[in-house]
Amino acid sequence: MSPAEIRAREAIADAGRMLADRGLAHGTAGNISIRLDDGLLVTPTNSALGSLDPSRIAKIDFEGVHLGGDPPSKEGFMHIASYARRVQDAAVVHLHCAHSVAVSCLDGLDPQAPIPPITAYYAMKVGGLTLLPYFRPGDPALADAVAAVDPARHAILLANHGPIVSGKSLDAAVGAIEELEETARIFLLLGGRAVRALTPDQLADLAAAFPS
Ligand code: 13P
């Protein structure tokens, strides 16, 4: 096993523990992956993200064939679709974190902006968020839906399910999904009151000052 793969396995276990410690990963919900040159490392199905054994993390190829470790997440295909869509990204995190899931259950959301750009950090770290319709967890049709999302966007909210976010590194993906979860909490705190979202000029200013 290459030193890069050993480091990636440890990074997934560290991220899972941190997300669980922060209350963002309960039970066996959620999955994490890192792209390697010869396939993906993905958390095993039905594993608790807070107590992963790095040596048992699954490895699959880019077609989803299981190469090693414990049986992979049933949503491994969703991770594969994410990497095919965003070739610049190297890590994907999917969680069932409560505030994002709560927003994903609201009726009448704008599929292209289920949470409006209410703060600068949401605009900078998450950017555009796409809401996909409900699919059963593990439904292969979810891969097609994820594959069809605008590749300029790295954050997706699955209706009645939770967020999936990719990043150039695992730290970037984790940071972005934490920002999304915190923004979902703020959005719910606002309780449907009239909100002053950032203007297009303010968003353009942020994009120019902090290019992704
Ligand atoms: P897995 O345990 O198969 O990764 O599924 C967890 C999950 O988050 C389903 O949406």
Side-chain angles (χ1 to χ4, degrees), residues 45-197:
T45 190
N46 295 322
S47 56
L49 294 189
S51 54
L52 293 167
D53 176 345
S55 69
R56 293 176 60 179
I57 289 172
K59 188 167 184 182
I60 57 176
D61 71 14
F62 295 111
E63 271 73 52
V65 175
H66 186 201
L67 302 175
D70 285 353
S73 168
K74 58 183 163 296
E75 293 176 335
F77 62 85
M78 182 170 78
H79 292 247
I80 293 170
S82 298
Y83 294 115
R85 194 175 74 75
R86 298 260 310 171
V87 291
Q88 68 272 49
D89 285 346
V92 173
V93 181
H94 164 60
L95 296 175
H96 294 183
C97 39
H99 300 90
S100 301
V101 174
V103 171
S104 84
C105 298
L106 293 174
D107 203 8
L109 295 171
D110 175 352
Q112 292 307 320
I115 301 175
I118 48 179
T119 70
Y121 257 59
Y122 176 62
M124 289 156 52
K125 303 288 182 187
V126 180
L129 177 68
T130 296
L131 175 70
L132 289 181
Y134 173 77
F135 294 88
R136 166 176 56 75
D139 183 342
L142 196 46
D144 297 335
V146 165
V149 172
D150 177 355
R153 295 183 163 205
H154 70 122
I156 297 172
L157 189 59
L158 310 173
N160 307 83
H161 186 167
I164 172 165
V165 176
S166 62
K168 289 180 185 149
S169 65
L170 184 54
D171 283 351
V174 167
I177 205 164
E178 286 192 287
E179 193 64 41
L180 171 56
E181 170 64 3
E182 197 55 23
T183 310
R185 193 169 78 86
I186 294 165
F187 183 65
L188 294 169
L189 277 174
L190 292 167
R193 280 171 285 189
V195 166
R196 191 202 75 83

